[in-house]
Amino acid sequence: MILVIGWFFISRSILMWLLNSMEDYSQFFSLSVPVRLAISFLIIGSMSLVSVLWYTVQDQQEIEKRKRDAEQLAKEAELYKLRQQLQPHFLFNSLNSINALIGSAPQQARMMILQLSDFLRGTMKKEEQQWISLEEELDHLQLYLDIEKVRFGHRLSTFIKNETIGMKLPVMLLQPVVENAIKFGLYDTTDDIQINIAAVNENEQLMISVSNPFDLVSLSPQKGLGFGLSSIQRRLYLLFARKDLIKTETEGNLFITKIFIPQI
Amino acid sequence: MKAIIIDDEPLARSIINEYIQSFSQIDIVQECNDGFEGLKAIMQHKPDLIFLDIQMPKITGFEMLELIEQPPAVIFTTAFDEFAMRAFEAHAIDYLLKPFSKERFDKAVNKLIAQPKLNEVALPALLQSPSTAFSTERIVVKNGGKIKIIFLHEILYLQAADDYVKIYTKEGSFLKNKTMGFFEATLPTHQFARTHRSFIINVQEITRIDPYEKESYLAILKSGARIPVSKNGYGKLKAVLGL
């Protein structure tokens, strides 16, 4: 309002000064005061309305962006935590095995240190990437399984079959599945056991199945998805917003975990 | 002195074997792969000392110890430091975190050599002390010569029986060398309620609760069993059921 009156008086005095000599014109000028007032009021009003709207939208976008950033950050933190599945006891038990080998079989001790180093380096490197090729992931898992083979002597054998070409998967997704298979298949049993990992292309989805035997006596049938697997389910949900990408089944004393990874 | 090593990893057993060489007075009489084998070996050899891993197939080291009336001296060897509290509550001679040095190992064994009677008072007491850091998922009992693992959902109710507790399941009842207080403290409180001085009930088994005598009740289980509920126990039961 003040702006309108201010503008009106300033323009009036400028025009008055310019049109001092022209009587008719200044008369018309005085007569059209209400109309011109209304017009200037409308112009300034709509301008301020537009600017108010514009700033509100800006603020809104800023808030939205911050919210999205916060959500993204929380999601990444959760994913990071879920990826941190490497169990410290695996590391300490491996070091204990190396300690034993140093006395009895120094060459083997050296080999195990190198395997463990390669495995740990691979694990750390992978923290930075989002997706890797299945071939790379399987090589990494082979290191892990080789270390377990040293720890448990001849009890563990593994069979890995990859029928896919050029498929990818999120980092550290398969690792916890295999760790889970080792936990129930190897740590909780006393017989010789075999762990099978098979990858196939199923309707352009990467399907990986991991099977391990388990001990029927000491494992509660009500257990369902162990902790390891429920965290994988959570990760798959965060990545793909789907809950049907992990399936488990039992066949006698075999436990089979299947994960499906859409290729994007 | 006779000793037994119980660990599911061959290399973990071999390092103990190597370290023990410097103790000429200690003989390793057997090495065992799991708790079942360990139990048999302990019965057979009556060792003075056992080296015991905790996380093993079939039953854990703790569960194995519970099944022995007169446990030998125990040195725990494990990569898990979260069990240390429980191990010391069990008054173990020592607790070796893998990997451990020869010096650390010697220190543990020397404790026993210096004080061979150390464990006689300690262990039985330990096995009755409920640990706050530990919640039971299953109960391991001896049934004749066999070992039976009872999962909590299989339990109908528990009844005090002198120095033992009788655990009732659909398959029959089993005796466990523990107190009612131990079970009251360790069983999950959302599933079990001590309804009476001598009874703990799995609340999921209850079909109805009938008034009995003055200020006391009877809980009728799905199996048809009728379990007394005291005035005090009725309060606890209502709390568990959220009434």
Side-chain angles (χ1 to χ4, degrees), chain B residues 1 14 24-25 36 93 109 140 155 163 185:
Chain B
M1 236 188 244
S14 80
S24 56
Q25 68 272 51
F36 285 5
I93 300 281
V109 177
V140 181
I155 299 174
D163 292 343

Side-chain angles (χ1 to χ4, degrees), chain A residues 228-241:
Chain A
L229 294 185
S230 60
S231 75
I232 294 158
Q233 188 167 36
R234 178 76 187 140
R235 264 198 79 195
L236 285 166
Y237 179 71
L238 288 174
L239 287 164
F240 303 108

Side-chain angles (χ1 to χ4, degrees), chain A residues 122-156:
Chain A
T123 305
M124 285 170 204
K125 195 181 82 193
K126 284 206 285 185
E127 293 298 327
E128 297 151 19
Q129 306 169 318
Q130 290 292 320
W131 286 66
I132 54 163
S133 72
L134 177 63
E135 288 77 12
E136 202 181 323
E137 179 74 356
L138 290 176
D139 284 347
H140 183 71
L141 282 172
Q142 189 65 58
L143 283 170
Y144 167 67
L145 293 170
D146 284 345
I147 295 164
E148 295 288 21
K149 280 179 193 170
V150 178
R151 282 178 59 199
F152 289 91
H154 299 294
R155 275 190 54 214
L156 172 66

Side-chain angles (χ1 to χ4, degrees), chain A residues 32-188:
Chain A
S32 63
V33 164
V35 177
R36 285 187 294 124
L37 248 177
I39 290 172
S40 59
F41 182 77
L42 266 175
I43 291 171
I44 293 192
S46 54
M47 264 169 67
S48 48
L49 201 72
V50 165
S51 71
V52 165
L53 267 173
W54 196 73
Y55 280 112
T56 318
V57 169
Q58 282 279 300
D59 273 4
Q60 203 71 34
Q61 277 174 346
E62 183 74 11
I63 290 167
E64 281 286 315
K65 190 173 173 297
R66 271 214 308 274
K67 215 173 117 189
R68 265 205 315 276
D69 285 353
E71 272 169 8
Q72 183 68 25
L73 221 69
K75 197 170 132 181
E76 266 165 26
E78 192 181 353
L79 281 170
Y80 181 75
K81 224 174 91 189
L82 291 173
R83 277 204 308 248
Q84 293 284 328
Q85 288 289 316
L86 179 67
Q87 306 273 347
H89 76 86
F90 165 74
L91 186 57
F92 291 122
N93 277 319
S94 299
L95 290 171
N96 193 49
S97 299
I98 292 171
N99 194 23
L101 286 171
I102 285 171
S104 57
Q107 282 303 321
Q108 239 184 307
R110 177 170 290 171
M111 202 174 92
M112 193 163 172
I113 287 176
L114 297 175
Q115 283 170 330
L116 193 60
S117 311
D118 281 349
F119 174 73
L120 292 176
R121 191 171 294 121
T123 305
M124 285 170 204
K125 195 181 82 193
K126 284 206 285 185
E127 293 298 327
E128 297 151 19
Q129 306 169 318
Q130 290 292 320
W131 286 66
I132 54 163
S133 72
L134 177 63
E135 288 77 12
E136 202 181 323
E137 179 74 356
L138 290 176
D139 284 347
H140 183 71
L141 282 172
Q142 189 65 58
L143 283 170
Y144 167 67
L145 293 170
D146 284 345
I147 295 164
E148 295 288 21
K149 280 179 193 170
V150 178
R151 282 178 59 199
F152 289 91
H154 299 294
R155 275 190 54 214
L156 172 66
S157 59
T158 54
F159 184 69
I160 300 178
K161 190 168 73 175
N162 180 10
E163 292 177 355
T164 68
I165 301 163
M167 295 194 110
K168 287 175 172 280
L169 73 166
V171 292
M172 293 299 268
L173 187 74
L174 192 52
Q175 170 92 21
V177 179
V178 176
E179 276 176 9
N180 205 56
I182 286 282
K183 180 182 185 304
F184 291 107
L186 185 68
Y187 297 168
D188 289 353

Side-chain angles (χ1 to χ4, degrees), chain A residues 89 92-93 95-97 99-101 103-104 150-153 187-190 215 217-223, chain B residues 8-12 14-15 18-19 33-34 56-59 78-80 98-101 137-138 149 151 153:
Chain A
H89 76 86
F92 291 122
N93 277 319
L95 290 171
N96 193 49
S97 299
N99 194 23
L101 286 171
S104 57
V150 178
R151 282 178 59 199
F152 289 91
Y187 297 168
D188 289 353
T189 60
T190 50
D215 190 52
V217 181
S218 56
L219 199 66
S220 168
Q222 290 199 334
K223 267 241 157 98
Chain B
D8 58 330
E9 289 184 51
L11 289 171
S14 80
I15 189 77
E18 185 193 320
Y19 283 170
N33 232 328
D34 62 74
M56 288 187 293
K58 316 274 187 199
I59 56 173
T78 175
F80 296 81
K98 291 172 181 174
F100 43 84
S101 67
E137 270 184 20
R138 57 187 198 184
I149 295 170
F151 294 102
H153 66 91

Side-chain angles (χ1 to χ4, degrees), chain A residues 194-210:
Chain A
Q194 178 165 336
I195 287 182
N196 295 314
I197 302 171
V200 293
N201 180 340
E202 205 181 78
N203 306 323
E204 294 309 309
Q205 277 192 348
L206 172 59
M207 196 271 271
I208 307 172
S209 74
V210 178

